[in-house]
Amino acid sequence: EVQLVDSGGGLVQAGGSLRLSCAASGFTSHDYGIGWFRQAPGKRREGVSCISNSDGRIYYADSVKGRFTISSDNGKNTVYLQMNNLKPEDTALYYCAAMTNSEVAVTAKLLVPSAVALWDSWGQGTQVTVSS
């Protein structure tokens, strides 16, 4: 069973930075993806970024390109989301998720709200609040 523990959220001022961590365990193959999602009150959960463990390809939502960076430390089984130049509109509960269905390619298409149901394991969420 895949287990994800996400952490690193907090309160920062606009323009500040945070680094989120997603500690993952329980994978039975190397063919999986890890994604970061966020959900603000009253809004749909949306994808922020994802990374394919099999080929290392990385994808970002347009709203965070140039500000957020996803990376992985396979030795620690941890995926990070470095968030720079944070804006008040980045305020949300952030979740990491795993995609273990080998028949589903990890691409930018998995970041759209309608693809949320394809991700099969989720962390508990970590709150990010950006003050203006």
Side-chain angles (χ1 to χ4, degrees), residues 20-55:
L20 306 183
S21 299
C22 176
S25 62
F27 293 108
T28 58
S29 81
H30 294 290
D31 191 7
Y32 63 87
I34 297 289
W36 283 99
F37 292 76
R38 66 186 182 186
Q39 188 167 18
K43 294 189 176 181
R44 299 176 71 181
R45 189 169 298 188
E46 62 177 5
V48 174
S49 181
C50 62
I51 183 169
S52 170
N53 185 69
S54 59
D55 60 21

mmCIF file of all heavy atoms in Angstrom, residues 20-55:
data_model
loop_
_atom_site.group_PDB
_atom_site.id
_atom_site.type_symbol
_atom_site.label_atom_id
_atom_site.label_comp_id
_atom_site.label_asym_id
_atom_site.label_seq_id
_atom_site.Cartn_x
_atom_site.Cartn_y
_atom_site.Cartn_z
ATOM 1 N N LEU A 20 7.737 22.373 0.287
ATOM 2 C CA LEU A 20 6.908 21.263 0.737
ATOM 3 C C LEU A 20 7.640 19.947 0.487
ATOM 4 O O LEU A 20 8.385 19.826 -0.482
ATOM 5 C CB LEU A 20 5.572 21.254 0.006
ATOM 6 C CG LEU A 20 4.748 22.547 0.057
ATOM 7 C CD1 LEU A 20 3.419 22.337 -0.662
ATOM 8 C CD2 LEU A 20 4.543 23.019 1.470
ATOM 9 N N SER A 21 7.386 18.979 1.351
ATOM 10 C CA SER A 21 7.988 17.648 1.215
ATOM 11 C C SER A 21 6.902 16.589 1.174
ATOM 12 O O SER A 21 5.886 16.713 1.860
ATOM 13 C CB SER A 21 8.922 17.357 2.388
ATOM 14 O OG SER A 21 9.980 18.288 2.450
ATOM 15 N N CYS A 22 7.146 15.561 0.384
ATOM 16 C CA CYS A 22 6.234 14.424 0.304
ATOM 17 C C CYS A 22 7.061 13.153 0.468
ATOM 18 O O CYS A 22 7.787 12.754 -0.443
ATOM 19 C CB CYS A 22 5.508 14.415 -1.034
ATOM 20 S SG CYS A 22 4.434 12.978 -1.297
ATOM 21 N N ALA A 23 6.966 12.542 1.635
ATOM 22 C CA ALA A 23 7.679 11.297 1.904
ATOM 23 C C ALA A 23 6.800 10.133 1.471
ATOM 24 O O ALA A 23 5.673 10.005 1.943
ATOM 25 C CB ALA A 23 8.013 11.191 3.380
ATOM 26 N N ALA A 24 7.317 9.324 0.557
ATOM 27 C CA ALA A 24 6.516 8.255 -0.047
ATOM 28 C C ALA A 24 7.076 6.887 0.293
ATOM 29 O O ALA A 24 8.290 6.714 0.408
ATOM 30 C CB ALA A 24 6.466 8.440 -1.559
ATOM 31 N N SER A 25 6.190 5.919 0.420
ATOM 32 C CA SER A 25 6.619 4.547 0.669
ATOM 33 C C SER A 25 5.576 3.577 0.123
ATOM 34 O O SER A 25 4.447 3.979 -0.158
ATOM 35 C CB SER A 25 6.812 4.300 2.168
ATOM 36 O OG SER A 25 5.594 4.477 2.859
ATOM 37 N N GLY A 26 5.990 2.318 -0.065
ATOM 38 C CA GLY A 26 5.051 1.288 -0.464
ATOM 39 C C GLY A 26 4.932 1.024 -1.947
ATOM 40 O O GLY A 26 4.103 0.219 -2.366
ATOM 41 N N PHE A 27 5.772 1.655 -2.767
ATOM 42 C CA PHE A 27 5.693 1.399 -4.206
ATOM 43 C C PHE A 27 6.243 0.012 -4.524
ATOM 44 O O PHE A 27 7.245 -0.403 -3.975
ATOM 45 C CB PHE A 27 6.472 2.455 -4.988
ATOM 46 C CG PHE A 27 5.872 3.824 -4.891
ATOM 47 C CD1 PHE A 27 6.496 4.804 -4.139
ATOM 48 C CD2 PHE A 27 4.700 4.125 -5.549
ATOM 49 C CE1 PHE A 27 5.942 6.072 -4.039
ATOM 50 C CE2 PHE A 27 4.143 5.389 -5.452
ATOM 51 C CZ PHE A 27 4.766 6.367 -4.698
ATOM 52 N N THR A 28 5.571 -0.686 -5.447
ATOM 53 C CA THR A 28 6.002 -2.015 -5.841
ATOM 54 C C THR A 28 6.700 -2.021 -7.195
ATOM 55 O O THR A 28 7.167 -3.063 -7.640
ATOM 56 C CB THR A 28 4.803 -2.978 -5.875
ATOM 57 O OG1 THR A 28 3.817 -2.457 -6.780
ATOM 58 C CG2 THR A 28 4.189 -3.116 -4.493
ATOM 59 N N SER A 29 6.740 -0.876 -7.859
ATOM 60 C CA SER A 29 7.484 -0.765 -9.115
ATOM 61 C C SER A 29 8.036 0.654 -9.214
ATOM 62 O O SER A 29 7.728 1.513 -8.388
ATOM 63 C CB SER A 29 6.592 -1.078 -10.313
ATOM 64 O OG SER A 29 5.812 0.044 -10.664
ATOM 65 N N HIS A 30 8.884 0.877 -10.239
ATOM 66 C CA HIS A 30 9.455 2.211 -10.438
ATOM 67 C C HIS A 30 8.609 3.048 -11.395
ATOM 68 O O HIS A 30 8.955 4.193 -11.674
ATOM 69 C CB HIS A 30 10.874 2.076 -10.997
ATOM 70 C CG HIS A 30 11.819 1.445 -10.025
ATOM 71 N ND1 HIS A 30 12.239 2.083 -8.872
ATOM 72 C CD2 HIS A 30 12.422 0.235 -10.018
ATOM 73 C CE1 HIS A 30 13.068 1.295 -8.213
ATOM 74 N NE2 HIS A 30 13.189 0.165 -8.881
ATOM 75 N N ASP A 31 7.523 2.479 -11.883
ATOM 76 C CA ASP A 31 6.687 3.166 -12.872
ATOM 77 C C ASP A 31 5.530 3.861 -12.167
ATOM 78 O O ASP A 31 4.428 3.304 -12.038
ATOM 79 C CB ASP A 31 6.173 2.145 -13.895
ATOM 80 C CG ASP A 31 5.525 2.820 -15.089
ATOM 81 O OD1 ASP A 31 5.590 4.065 -15.192
ATOM 82 O OD2 ASP A 31 4.937 2.098 -15.930
ATOM 83 N N TYR A 32 5.796 5.058 -11.682
ATOM 84 C CA TYR A 32 4.743 5.813 -11.018
ATOM 85 C C TYR A 32 5.031 7.297 -11.134
ATOM 86 O O TYR A 32 6.112 7.715 -11.558
ATOM 87 C CB TYR A 32 4.621 5.404 -9.542
ATOM 88 C CG TYR A 32 5.846 5.687 -8.707
ATOM 89 C CD1 TYR A 32 6.043 6.916 -8.085
ATOM 90 C CD2 TYR A 32 6.814 4.705 -8.526
ATOM 91 C CE1 TYR A 32 7.160 7.167 -7.329
ATOM 92 C CE2 TYR A 32 7.938 4.948 -7.762
ATOM 93 C CZ TYR A 32 8.108 6.178 -7.164
ATOM 94 O OH TYR A 32 9.226 6.422 -6.411
ATOM 95 N N GLY A 33 4.061 8.090 -10.786
ATOM 96 C CA GLY A 33 4.246 9.530 -10.787
ATOM 97 C C GLY A 33 3.843 10.109 -9.439
ATOM 98 O O GLY A 33 3.033 9.522 -8.705
ATOM 99 N N ILE A 34 4.415 11.238 -9.102
ATOM 100 C CA ILE A 34 4.054 11.976 -7.903
ATOM 101 C C ILE A 34 3.620 13.368 -8.327
ATOM 102 O O ILE A 34 4.296 14.013 -9.146
ATOM 103 C CB ILE A 34 5.231 12.097 -6.921
ATOM 104 C CG1 ILE A 34 5.667 10.720 -6.419
ATOM 105 C CG2 ILE A 34 4.847 12.997 -5.747
ATOM 106 C CD1 ILE A 34 4.680 10.065 -5.473
ATOM 107 N N GLY A 35 2.515 13.804 -7.793
ATOM 108 C CA GLY A 35 2.012 15.132 -8.140
ATOM 109 C C GLY A 35 1.709 15.949 -6.900
ATOM 110 O O GLY A 35 1.522 15.414 -5.811
ATOM 111 N N TRP A 36 1.705 17.256 -7.096
ATOM 112 C CA TRP A 36 1.275 18.185 -6.051
ATOM 113 C C TRP A 36 -0.012 18.865 -6.526
ATOM 114 O O TRP A 36 -0.093 19.326 -7.668
ATOM 115 C CB TRP A 36 2.349 19.240 -5.782
ATOM 116 C CG TRP A 36 3.482 18.742 -4.963
ATOM 117 C CD1 TRP A 36 4.708 18.328 -5.396
ATOM 118 C CD2 TRP A 36 3.491 18.594 -3.542
ATOM 119 N NE1 TRP A 36 5.480 17.941 -4.338
ATOM 120 C CE2 TRP A 36 4.758 18.089 -3.182
ATOM 121 C CE3 TRP A 36 2.570 18.846 -2.518
ATOM 122 C CZ2 TRP A 36 5.126 17.830 -1.855
ATOM 123 C CZ3 TRP A 36 2.929 18.584 -1.214
ATOM 124 C CH2 TRP A 36 4.197 18.086 -0.891
ATOM 125 N N PHE A 37 -0.970 18.908 -5.625
ATOM 126 C CA PHE A 37 -2.253 19.524 -5.909
ATOM 127 C C PHE A 37 -2.561 20.539 -4.815
ATOM 128 O O PHE A 37 -1.966 20.504 -3.742
ATOM 129 C CB PHE A 37 -3.358 18.462 -5.953
ATOM 130 C CG PHE A 37 -3.238 17.530 -7.116
ATOM 131 C CD1 PHE A 37 -2.293 16.515 -7.118
ATOM 132 C CD2 PHE A 37 -4.053 17.668 -8.225
ATOM 133 C CE1 PHE A 37 -2.157 15.662 -8.206
ATOM 134 C CE2 PHE A 37 -3.938 16.819 -9.314
ATOM 135 C CZ PHE A 37 -2.991 15.813 -9.301
ATOM 136 N N ARG A 38 -3.518 21.398 -5.080
ATOM 137 C CA ARG A 38 -3.940 22.337 -4.056
ATOM 138 C C ARG A 38 -5.443 22.590 -4.171
ATOM 139 O O ARG A 38 -6.021 22.459 -5.254
ATOM 140 C CB ARG A 38 -3.164 23.649 -4.160
ATOM 141 C CG ARG A 38 -3.422 24.450 -5.428
ATOM 142 C CD ARG A 38 -2.483 25.647 -5.494
ATOM 143 N NE ARG A 38 -2.716 26.472 -6.672
ATOM 144 C CZ ARG A 38 -1.958 27.505 -7.015
ATOM 145 N NH1 ARG A 38 -0.896 27.832 -6.257
ATOM 146 N NH2 ARG A 38 -2.236 28.220 -8.098
ATOM 147 N N GLN A 39 -6.005 22.938 -3.038
ATOM 148 C CA GLN A 39 -7.434 23.225 -3.012
ATOM 149 C C GLN A 39 -7.701 24.378 -2.054
ATOM 150 O O GLN A 39 -7.410 24.276 -0.861
ATOM 151 C CB GLN A 39 -8.241 21.984 -2.600
ATOM 152 C CG GLN A 39 -9.739 22.164 -2.752
ATOM 153 C CD GLN A 39 -10.489 20.858 -2.657
ATOM 154 O OE1 GLN A 39 -9.977 19.843 -2.166
ATOM 155 N NE2 GLN A 39 -11.728 20.849 -3.128
ATOM 156 N N ALA A 40 -8.225 25.449 -2.603
ATOM 157 C CA ALA A 40 -8.620 26.599 -1.802
ATOM 158 C C ALA A 40 -10.089 26.454 -1.425
ATOM 159 O O ALA A 40 -10.846 25.765 -2.121
ATOM 160 C CB ALA A 40 -8.395 27.893 -2.592
ATOM 161 N N PRO A 41 -10.520 27.087 -0.343
ATOM 162 C CA PRO A 41 -11.928 26.976 0.078
ATOM 163 C C PRO A 41 -12.881 27.372 -1.040
ATOM 164 O O PRO A 41 -12.716 28.409 -1.678
ATOM 165 C CB PRO A 41 -12.012 27.950 1.253
ATOM 166 C CG PRO A 41 -10.632 27.996 1.796
ATOM 167 C CD PRO A 41 -9.735 27.891 0.600
ATOM 168 N N GLY A 42 -13.858 26.511 -1.300
ATOM 169 C CA GLY A 42 -14.858 26.796 -2.304
ATOM 170 C C GLY A 42 -14.413 26.564 -3.730
ATOM 171 O O GLY A 42 -15.165 26.853 -4.663
ATOM 172 N N LYS A 43 -13.209 26.041 -3.908
ATOM 173 C CA LYS A 43 -12.695 25.815 -5.266
ATOM 174 C C LYS A 43 -12.371 24.338 -5.482
ATOM 175 O O LYS A 43 -12.220 23.574 -4.538
ATOM 176 C CB LYS A 43 -11.452 26.668 -5.511
ATOM 177 C CG LYS A 43 -11.717 28.170 -5.510
ATOM 178 C CD LYS A 43 -10.499 28.936 -5.964
ATOM 179 C CE LYS A 43 -10.804 30.430 -6.047
ATOM 180 N NZ LYS A 43 -9.612 31.204 -6.523
ATOM 181 N N ARG A 44 -12.260 23.975 -6.751
ATOM 182 C CA ARG A 44 -11.906 22.603 -7.105
ATOM 183 C C ARG A 44 -10.431 22.354 -6.827
ATOM 184 O O ARG A 44 -9.609 23.268 -6.863
ATOM 185 C CB ARG A 44 -12.190 22.353 -8.587
ATOM 186 C CG ARG A 44 -13.639 22.525 -8.994
ATOM 187 C CD ARG A 44 -13.794 22.340 -10.488
ATOM 188 N NE ARG A 44 -13.621 20.955 -10.916
ATOM 189 C CZ ARG A 44 -13.689 20.560 -12.178
ATOM 190 N NH1 ARG A 44 -13.893 21.433 -13.132
ATOM 191 N NH2 ARG A 44 -13.541 19.277 -12.489
ATOM 192 N N ARG A 45 -10.119 21.100 -6.553
ATOM 193 C CA ARG A 45 -8.723 20.725 -6.399
ATOM 194 C C ARG A 45 -8.051 20.829 -7.772
ATOM 195 O O ARG A 45 -8.590 20.349 -8.774
ATOM 196 C CB ARG A 45 -8.617 19.304 -5.844
ATOM 197 C CG ARG A 45 -7.214 18.909 -5.451
ATOM 198 C CD ARG A 45 -7.214 17.603 -4.668
ATOM 199 N NE ARG A 45 -7.972 17.719 -3.418
ATOM 200 C CZ ARG A 45 -7.996 16.761 -2.488
ATOM 201 N NH1 ARG A 45 -7.311 15.640 -2.663
ATOM 202 N NH2 ARG A 45 -8.714 16.935 -1.395
ATOM 203 N N GLU A 46 -6.887 21.424 -7.793
ATOM 204 C CA GLU A 46 -6.185 21.601 -9.057
ATOM 205 C C GLU A 46 -4.742 21.130 -8.951
ATOM 206 O O GLU A 46 -4.132 21.195 -7.889
ATOM 207 C CB GLU A 46 -6.195 23.089 -9.478
ATOM 208 C CG GLU A 46 -5.496 24.020 -8.518
ATOM 209 C CD GLU A 46 -5.463 25.458 -8.993
ATOM 210 O OE1 GLU A 46 -6.069 25.778 -10.025
ATOM 211 O OE2 GLU A 46 -4.809 26.281 -8.327
ATOM 212 N N GLY A 47 -4.239 20.653 -10.072
ATOM 213 C CA GLY A 47 -2.861 20.200 -10.105
ATOM 214 C C GLY A 47 -1.898 21.357 -10.202
ATOM 215 O O GLY A 47 -2.170 22.352 -10.867
ATOM 216 N N VAL A 48 -0.777 21.219 -9.528
ATOM 217 C CA VAL A 48 0.263 22.235 -9.523
ATOM 218 C C VAL A 48 1.477 21.768 -10.318
ATOM 219 O O VAL A 48 1.986 22.482 -11.177
ATOM 220 C CB VAL A 48 0.676 22.567 -8.078
ATOM 221 C CG1 VAL A 48 1.866 23.511 -8.060
ATOM 222 C CG2 VAL A 48 -0.488 23.153 -7.303
ATOM 223 N N SER A 49 1.903 20.547 -10.045
ATOM 224 C CA SER A 49 3.085 20.014 -10.716
ATOM 225 C C SER A 49 3.115 18.504 -10.543
ATOM 226 O O SER A 49 2.524 17.969 -9.597
ATOM 227 C CB SER A 49 4.355 20.623 -10.113
ATOM 228 O OG SER A 49 5.510 20.132 -10.759
ATOM 229 N N CYS A 50 3.791 17.825 -11.437
ATOM 230 C CA CYS A 50 3.972 16.389 -11.276
ATOM 231 C C CYS A 50 5.289 15.954 -11.903
ATOM 232 O O CYS A 50 5.852 16.652 -12.747
ATOM 233 C CB CYS A 50 2.808 15.592 -11.850
ATOM 234 S SG CYS A 50 2.533 15.778 -13.622
ATOM 235 N N ILE A 51 5.769 14.812 -11.439
ATOM 236 C CA ILE A 51 7.028 14.270 -11.918
ATOM 237 C C ILE A 51 6.880 12.771 -12.126
ATOM 238 O O ILE A 51 6.262 12.083 -11.309
ATOM 239 C CB ILE A 51 8.174 14.590 -10.929
ATOM 240 C CG1 ILE A 51 9.518 14.087 -11.452
ATOM 241 C CG2 ILE A 51 7.887 14.021 -9.528
ATOM 242 C CD1 ILE A 51 10.708 14.602 -10.637
ATOM 243 N N SER A 52 7.417 12.299 -13.227
ATOM 244 C CA SER A 52 7.382 10.876 -13.520
ATOM 245 C C SER A 52 8.635 10.220 -12.951
ATOM 246 O O SER A 52 9.748 10.648 -13.250
ATOM 247 C CB SER A 52 7.340 10.649 -15.034
ATOM 248 O OG SER A 52 7.546 9.283 -15.342
ATOM 249 N N ASN A 53 8.454 9.187 -12.132
ATOM 250 C CA ASN A 53 9.615 8.529 -11.554
ATOM 251 C C ASN A 53 10.368 7.701 -12.597
ATOM 252 O O ASN A 53 11.576 7.514 -12.501
ATOM 253 C CB ASN A 53 9.183 7.612 -10.419
ATOM 254 C CG ASN A 53 10.361 6.988 -9.710
ATOM 255 O OD1 ASN A 53 11.133 7.652 -9.026
ATOM 256 N ND2 ASN A 53 10.523 5.681 -9.870
ATOM 257 N N SER A 54 9.680 7.210 -13.609
ATOM 258 C CA SER A 54 10.307 6.330 -14.596
ATOM 259 C C SER A 54 11.212 7.090 -15.560
ATOM 260 O O SER A 54 12.273 6.594 -15.938
ATOM 261 C CB SER A 54 9.252 5.548 -15.361
ATOM 262 O OG SER A 54 8.370 6.426 -16.021
ATOM 263 N N ASP A 55 10.815 8.293 -15.996
ATOM 264 C CA ASP A 55 11.653 9.010 -16.962
ATOM 265 C C ASP A 55 12.039 10.417 -16.521
ATOM 266 O O ASP A 55 12.753 11.124 -17.241
ATOM 267 C CB ASP A 55 10.975 9.079 -18.336
ATOM 268 C CG ASP A 55 9.633 9.789 -18.306
ATOM 269 O OD1 ASP A 55 9.386 10.565 -17.358
ATOM 270 O OD2 ASP A 55 8.819 9.584 -19.222
#
